[in-house]
Amino acid sequence: MTESEFENFMASLRAPGTPNISPKRVINVLGIRAKDLTAISNPNGNVIIRDGQGTAKMQRSLRNLARILSAARAYHDTPEQMIYWFMNYPLPQFYYRTAFEMYAAARTEELLSLLAANLQEIRGAHPA
């Protein structure tokens, strides 16, 4: 996926008129329930998505999601493929959990390390 395609995808997640990611748009793109996204962003409490932006905690969580998707875009031709991988592809390095499950477990840094290492391997195998 090109940088421009990824920028368009990220723009589609933006809360209109704000610099924030829209939780409602993320819920729609991922095909999950609002309460699932709420549990991911604030496992110890309830957050209601009323204003279309959520809380500061939710925005931090959504920015971590954006980091994961940004790293994953190098492996996929379209946003649809990227989202399918994120939601469904079992990762042997994490006992066959999906990237979504790793994100939900707040293991963003581990997942990003794996993606960065894999990209290094690919680039090393195919020098530019």
Side-chain angles (χ1 to χ4, degrees), residues 8 13 37 81:
N8 289 337
L13 299 179
L37 185 60
Q81 289 174 350

Side-chain angles (χ1 to χ4, degrees), residues 24-125:
K24 290 181 180 181
R25 290 182 178 189
V26 168
I27 289 163
N28 186 47
V29 166
L30 297 182
I32 61 174
R33 299 174 304 175
K35 79 180 212 178
D36 295 332
L37 185 60
T38 297
I40 290 167
S41 64
N42 191 15
N44 299 319
N46 293 325
V47 175
I48 298 173
I49 304 168
R50 286 190 185 130
D51 63 1
Q53 297 179 53
T55 63
K57 274 187 181 179
M58 180 163 292
Q59 284 300 310
R60 277 192 300 276
S61 177
L62 294 174
R63 285 186 201 106
N64 279 335
L65 172 63
R67 293 171 62 211
I68 293 166
L69 296 178
S70 181
R73 75 182 173 86
Y75 304 97
H76 306 283
D77 294 329
T78 67
E80 293 80 14
Q81 289 174 350
M82 178 181 63
I83 295 299
Y84 179 82
W85 168 85
F86 177 75
M87 295 302 294
N88 299 295
Y89 193 81
L91 301 167
Q93 299 88 336
F94 298 118
Y95 301 100
Y96 296 93
R97 292 183 182 110
T98 66
F100 175 77
E101 291 169 319
M102 295 298 289
Y103 164 68
R107 295 179 66 188
T108 298
E109 299 306 323
E110 293 169 78
L111 185 55
L112 290 173
S113 292
L114 172 71
L115 291 170
N118 286 349
L119 193 55
Q120 285 287 86
E121 281 183 32
I122 290 169
R123 288 186 176 153

Side-chain angles (χ1 to χ4, degrees), residues 8-23:
N8 289 337
F9 170 76
M10 286 303 299
S12 76
L13 299 179
R14 185 176 177 181
T18 76
N20 295 318
I21 299 170
S22 166

